[in-house]
Amino acid sequence: MSFALAFQPPMPDPRAMNDIADVARPAETVGAAPVADGARQKSVDVLRGVALLGILVMNIPVFALPDYYSEPFRSDPRNINFWFRLVINTLFEGKARALFGMLFGVGVLLFIANKEKAGKSVHWLFYRRTFLLVLFGLFQAHVMLWVGEILYCYGVCGMIVYLFRRVNPRILVLAVPLVGLIDFGLGVRQYQVFREQRIAYVAASEAKSHGDILSDVQTKALADWRVVETTLIPNREDVQENTRQIKSGYAGAASYVRPRAWLFETKYLPLWLPDSVALMLLGMGLFKMGFFSGTWSVRAYRRVMLVGYGLGLPLVGYAFYDSLVRFPNHEAFLKVLETVPILWADLIYPFQRMLLVMAHAAALILVYRAGALAWLTRRLAAVGQMALTNYLMHTVFCTLIFFGYGLNLYGELQFYQLYFVVAAIWAFQLVTSPWWLARFRFGPFEWLWRALTYSVRPPMRRAG
């Protein structure tokens, strides 16, 4: 991600200024009223729409397929699923969430900008707003049953990054590699914990197989690893049981999702925070520098693309190949866990991800700036403007399609077939989002979020 630091903030390109919203416009954005259409950061809406749709690409296998689903095809180039996975891992894996996180940081600045200029105290409003996001996340995880929801984590991270809202953008961007190293260190520490538990479990299992009387330490080692298996690293029998639960109905799916979601919201939350905080800080810094507003020169954006794709694609290609060699199946992963103290190749991930997501963002901004594919970018902007509603709708669609209380297609489709479902959901949201916003001022959940934040009921319908 350090390549972005090499760029001096470029002078704004006058040709782009007509497309840039003035965040200092006073009246329209203060209070519970929506941001006026002419004052929206359209480039940010477009990017948020792309990130939102891209997140579904990565989430749908978790909704639809059991653990270790890729083993039959992950090393077989003759299988169409291999190529789908290659393209998705290269272009989307980690990138969509990274872009979404960066734009969340942008949203922090956009939320507070005009309120502070109008003399409003924004602290209470902001923390109330982010606390509501935490509640939305809990609802999505424990009622809507999405184990991979991100709103809870983003709400917690938002409360942290708000404290850095006035920090110099260069410092914000420079802080990202430091936070990234902290994130890597936390990941290594957690890997070491799992490794120690696995080694102790193997030793205890061997002693048990020989008929030895187990000590209290050995008995605890068996129990500790069993907890890991039932929550994060299931064995083959657990995978079958998890599939049965998800396909059995709402109660069964809830018994699978809720304990795992709670672990991510409590015990493992510190592992999520540094990465998400770093992305939000980077988004805030780049927005202050004008990157997301589209005010950099065409040459600067092209340079970001050249560096990002030029370095990022070889790195992600090597990482993909390395994963095929080292982790062809679950048993190989366990063997690596037992024998390799640190997975240094994991350091590639944050760099290739940020190189590629910056390149993606620069390319999308240039497309928007040029007015190309205007019919599509308008629809993407509408999807981004209704990001909360559309994100929650992903859970509604996917649980009803794949879980036992819906169509019960969990584990029934091949990997590549999932992306016909993705395409259908994309098409639906690209059509319905602009249709809805032509008639209403907010998406349904955006209206609810705003109403609860300001303790008012803002008008929903557009005049006329």
Side-chain angles (χ1 to χ4, degrees):
M1 63 184 72
S2 60
F3 82 100
L5 309 182
F7 295 122
Q8 300 293 323
M11 293 298 293
D13 186 337
R15 294 171 297 177
M17 296 310 293
N18 289 335
D19 294 331
I20 308 305
D22 181 1
V23 295
R25 292 184 183 177
E28 295 171 312
T29 54
V30 177
V35 178
D37 289 340
R40 292 199 65 86
Q41 290 275 349
K42 290 294 185 181
S43 58
V44 172
D45 283 338
V46 171
L47 291 170
R48 189 182 293 113
V50 172
L52 189 280
L53 297 181
I55 283 174
L56 180 60
V57 172
M58 297 310 306
N59 284 348
I60 197 165
V62 184
F63 279 114
L65 296 173
D67 290 293
Y68 319 134
Y69 66 85
S70 67
E71 287 184 359
F73 61 81
R74 63 184 290 125
S75 302
D76 183 8
R78 298 166 299 179
N79 192 312
I80 187 174
N81 293 306
F82 173 91
W83 296 103
F84 265 77
R85 183 170 178 270
L86 172 61
V87 171
I88 288 165
N89 278 36
T90 299
L91 298 180
F92 291 94
E93 202 281 320
K95 290 80 176 177
R97 187 174 66 83
L99 182 57
F100 205 66
M102 292 160 70
L103 294 172
F104 188 93
V106 173
V108 171
L109 298 179
L110 291 177
F111 179 80
I112 66 178
N114 287 320
K115 296 175 180 61
E116 290 187 333
K117 292 180 187 302
K120 301 283 184 178
S121 176
V122 75
H123 311 306
W124 165 245
L125 281 178
F126 181 84
Y127 278 101
R128 183 172 180 173
R129 182 175 184 262
T130 49
F131 178 72
L132 288 168
L133 197 64
V134 169
L135 296 182
F136 280 137
L138 291 171
F139 180 82
Q140 188 184 20
H142 298 279
V143 179
M144 300 174 71
L145 304 184
W146 171 220
V147 71
E149 72 83 22
I150 198 68
L151 301 178
Y152 178 94
C153 178
Y154 275 22
V156 174
C157 291
M159 298 178 189
I160 298 172
V161 300
Y162 179 76
L163 303 175
F164 298 89
R165 65 194 182 279
R166 291 195 177 92
V167 173
N168 184 288
R170 294 182 183 277
I171 297 177
L172 289 174
V173 175
L174 285 169
V176 173
L178 175 62
V179 180
L181 290 175
I182 294 173
D183 181 50
F184 177 75
L186 289 172
V188 168
R189 177 56 193 148
Q190 187 58 57
Y191 176 84
Q192 295 287 343
V193 170
F194 287 148
R195 182 169 183 268
E196 291 166 4
Q197 290 176 323
R198 178 65 187 178
I199 291 172
Y201 166 81
V202 170
S205 297
E206 185 175 351
K208 183 178 180 180
S209 68
H210 292 157
D212 298 344
I213 298 176
L214 299 184
S215 67
D216 291 342
V217 173
Q218 290 172 316
T219 302
K220 184 176 183 300
L222 295 177
D224 288 345
W225 184 253
R226 184 63 193 142
V227 171
V228 174
E229 285 185 323
T230 56
T231 54
L232 293 175
I233 310 176
N235 60 37
R236 301 290 181 181
E237 292 74 22
D238 290 327
V239 171
Q240 294 179 3
E241 173 60 18
N242 295 341
T243 299
R244 186 199 65 77
Q245 287 181 305
I246 291 172
K247 293 177 74 68
S248 65
Y250 184 86
S255 66
Y256 169 79
V257 169
R258 286 171 181 165
R260 290 161 178 80
W262 184 244
L263 271 178
F264 290 129
E265 292 158 352
T266 54
K267 181 178 180 180
Y268 296 119
L269 182 62
L271 299 179
W272 287 67
L273 291 181
D275 179 69
S276 296
V277 167
L279 293 169
M280 293 175 190
L281 293 176
L282 178 60
M284 292 168 69
L286 290 173
F287 181 72
K288 289 183 176 184
M289 291 179 174
F291 176 83
F292 284 118
S293 303
T295 60
W296 287 19
S297 68
V298 171
R299 182 179 180 182
Y301 285 114
R302 287 176 177 170
R303 185 166 52 189
V304 172
M305 291 174 59
L306 178 64
V307 175
Y309 289 129
L311 296 179
L313 288 175
L315 285 174
V316 73
Y318 173 79
F320 184 80
Y321 172 78
D322 180 71
S323 71
L324 298 184
V325 173
R326 286 197 298 168
F327 308 118
N329 53 46
H330 176 56
E331 288 71 26
F333 166 75
L334 293 178
K335 183 58 66 176
V336 169
L337 185 63
E338 295 165 18
T339 58
V340 180
I342 298 177
L343 299 177
W344 290 107
D346 286 353
L347 272 174
I348 295 175
Y349 176 78
F351 289 97
Q352 61 89 0
R353 180 179 65 156
M354 292 313 303
L355 286 162
L356 289 173
V357 76
M358 290 292 293
H360 289 350
L364 290 165
I365 290 170
L366 286 180
V367 169
Y368 174 74
R369 282 260 304 267
L373 302 175
W375 63 272
L376 179 58
T377 56
R378 283 195 298 269
R379 294 180 181 279
L380 288 168
V383 170
Q385 194 173 337
M386 292 177 54
L388 178 60
T389 294
N390 284 321
Y391 177 66
L392 293 173
M393 288 305 296
H394 289 173
T395 300
V396 173
F397 286 135
C398 290
T399 53
L400 290 179
I401 291 170
F402 297 109
F403 285 14
Y405 54 87
L407 297 179
N408 203 19
L409 292 179
Y410 186 85
E412 303 294 333
L413 300 181
Q414 291 193 53
F415 181 72
Y416 82 92
Q417 292 173 327
L418 299 182
Y419 295 97
F420 294 116
V421 178
V422 169
I425 295 174
W426 281 7
F428 177 84
Q429 294 188 329
L430 286 168
V431 170
T432 58
S433 295
W435 179 90
W436 180 275
L437 290 176
R439 292 157 178 79
F440 302 97
R441 305 168 83 196
F442 312 95
F445 282 98
E446 284 75 14
W447 180 90
L448 177 63
W449 195 13
R450 186 174 292 263
L452 293 174
T453 297
Y454 294 99
S455 299
V456 297
R457 294 181 60 185
M460 185 68 162
R461 286 189 173 274
R462 291 188 181 275

